[in-house]
Amino acid sequence: MFAELAAITSALSAINSTIATFKEGKANAQDAAALLGKFGSTAQKLDDWERKKKLKRPLTPKEAMDLSIKRREIKAVENKIKDHLMMMGMSDVWRDAERIRKESEKQHQQYLKDIHKKRKERQRKLKERATAIFIICSLIFIGWCGWFVYEAIQERRLDSAKQRLEQAKERQRNLRKCGRYKC
């Protein structure tokens, strides 16, 4: 996590140094496009980092603060680039880059919303499945307990019947021996 943020920070400092050399020399549209490309890849790295973290879990307060700080740094660099391009008369390059960046941000926000919806849907499905498994296991357990109780009752009846039969046989033997039920 910190390595990725450090890479983003170093990329931003590289962009700042490029802007400084951009000021000194006579830059052309190709140099401006290269600078915007570097800037776009840095912003994309930050978006990828955010996406990767949010896929796993919500951001911690420290991660959210780091993200906010990096976004502010990117905004400052963006303003510097805009100022230089406007001063050099390349406002059309800036407008195109800005339009593309806004579309990209819109797609990124939509992607994060889709991830959130998918996560909620996955959690709902997991909860439904867990409930179904619990109900099925409960029914199986209740059925097994009912079968166990039924078998215990049947065994008790059988033992009771055997005991009555033995008592009846004992009485018959006693009646034959001494003429009474108990001898």
Side-chain angles (χ1 to χ4, degrees):
M1 173 185 100
F2 296 110
E4 293 167 343
L5 290 177
I8 292 169
T9 303
S10 66
L12 286 173
S13 62
I15 290 172
N16 282 330
S17 66
T18 307
I19 290 173
T21 57
F22 201 59
K23 282 181 185 177
E24 294 170 5
K26 299 289 182 189
N28 57 22
Q30 194 173 21
D31 294 337
L35 183 62
L36 287 172
K38 265 188 185 178
F39 174 73
S41 67
T42 304
Q44 185 62 39
K45 283 180 187 176
L46 187 63
D47 288 343
D48 291 342
W49 178 81
E50 180 185 11
R51 184 180 304 130
K52 187 174 89 174
K53 289 297 177 184
K54 284 186 175 181
L55 275 175
K56 294 178 185 174
R57 59 178 167 67
L59 293 177
T60 63
K62 182 178 181 347
E63 291 171 340
M65 185 62 72
D66 289 342
L67 180 67
S68 174
I69 290 170
K70 297 302 174 194
R71 291 246 186 249
R72 179 177 284 161
E73 288 175 8
I74 286 175
K75 191 68 175 167
V77 169
E78 179 183 351
N79 286 335
K80 285 181 185 177
I81 292 172
K82 178 183 176 186
D83 292 342
H84 291 296
L85 288 175
M86 293 297 178
M87 289 173 63
M88 291 174 36
M90 293 188 222
S91 60
D92 57 335
V93 173
W94 173 253
R95 281 193 299 273
D96 288 342
E98 187 68 16
R99 179 184 50 79
I100 292 169
R101 186 188 61 79
K102 284 184 180 181
E103 286 176 12
S104 175
E105 281 183 8
K106 207 181 284 185
Q107 290 171 352
H108 176 70
Q109 292 299 325
Q110 184 61 39
Y111 178 78
L112 291 177
K113 285 178 184 177
D114 291 345
I115 286 174
H116 183 69
K117 286 178 186 177
K118 287 178 183 177
R119 182 180 294 144
K120 288 289 186 184
E121 182 67 22
R122 188 172 55 238
Q123 288 174 348
R124 185 187 61 78
K125 285 182 180 179
L126 182 63
K127 190 174 181 181
E128 287 175 356
R129 289 178 183 156
T131 303
I133 289 172
F134 175 75
I135 289 171
I136 289 170
C137 289
S138 296
L139 290 174
I140 289 172
F141 180 73
I142 290 171
W144 178 77
C145 287
W147 175 77
F148 182 76
V149 168
Y150 175 76
E151 288 293 320
I153 290 171
Q154 289 297 88
E155 190 175 316
R156 177 73 176 124
R157 284 183 182 169
L158 185 61
D159 287 345
S160 177
K162 284 181 184 177
Q163 203 173 34
R164 281 193 310 254
L165 185 61
E166 285 296 323
Q167 287 174 353
K169 284 182 182 178
E170 183 71 28
R171 276 187 268 158
Q172 286 294 334
R173 267 187 254 133
N174 287 340
L175 277 175
R176 285 187 204 134
K177 268 187 182 179
C178 62
R180 292 179 280 176
Y181 289 119
K182 289 188 179 181
C183 288

